[in-house]
Amino acid sequence: MFRKPAQIFIISIIIIIALIIFHQLGWLKSAEGIALRGLSPIGGFFYNIGKKTQGFFSFLGSIKDLGRQNKELQEKVNQLTVENVKLKEAERENELLREQLDFVKASEYKLLSAFVVAFDPSGLFQFITINRGEKDGVRQGMPVVVSRGILVGKVQETTKTTSKVLLITDSSSSIPGLIQESRATGVIKGEMKLGLMMEMIPQDIEVKNGDRVLTSSLGGEFPESLVIGQVEEVQRREGELFQKARIKPACDFRKLEMVSVVLE
């Protein structure tokens, strides 16, 4: 007699062979359809879970790709921003150079162009530093102008490569001046951040708002007819020998970028 496990094995083999034969003959189609319909919900359940899991990981992957793409786009934006700034600065510098070149060509003086590299950080004194010095022929006392012949100040100190320029608005500045319309002369002094004041103007000469103020050749310190500004207020007092006039500078000293040193 066979042992029980051997009997079960033999019976299982016989059943499997019989099922294969019945399947080939088509006798199990009805039973197979019922079985498949019974298992389809379970299969669909696991299929949906698989699709959702796949979709979730695809979503995570897309987030990672978006982050990478956003980083790349930001880097491109930053690069374009820097290039645009450099381009605008180059255009501005070229514009300044053209203005200075035209002024140098038209001027009767020998001029040396220079860039402003520093301002007085304390505000106690009104001066700028330029990138020209002794090796370029710059000496103490030389006038400094901007295009169109507007006086800025004069060289106060020099090194081999740089120079400190005292602005005409500094309180220690004193310039012989001339009012173009009336030909009245006087002394123009700086008032720190307040601007300029022209003093010692004869009382008997009429001075009006809007009159143009130039440098005078008196004293020989500055070339004549450099532009300083315009009269914006006249101060007269009865009984005094002289009158005063507040002058609006023709130059915005806060926006100085390029100047010229009058060498001779």
Side-chain angles (χ1 to χ4, degrees), residues 32-44:
E32 288 174 351
I34 294 171
L36 288 173
R37 285 193 297 273
L39 293 174
S40 61
I42 299 174

Side-chain angles (χ1 to χ4, degrees), residues 3 7 41 62-64 66 70 78 89 98 123-124 132-133 143 167 170 176 191 224 238 243 252:
R3 294 181 181 179
Q7 291 175 347
S62 64
I63 290 178
K64 185 177 180 180
L66 284 174
N70 184 61
N78 292 340
E89 285 301 304
R98 283 194 298 270
L124 296 177
R132 299 286 194 171
L167 300 180
D170 188 86
E191 292 192 314
E224 64 178 353
E238 294 294 333
Q243 58 183 321
D252 188 346

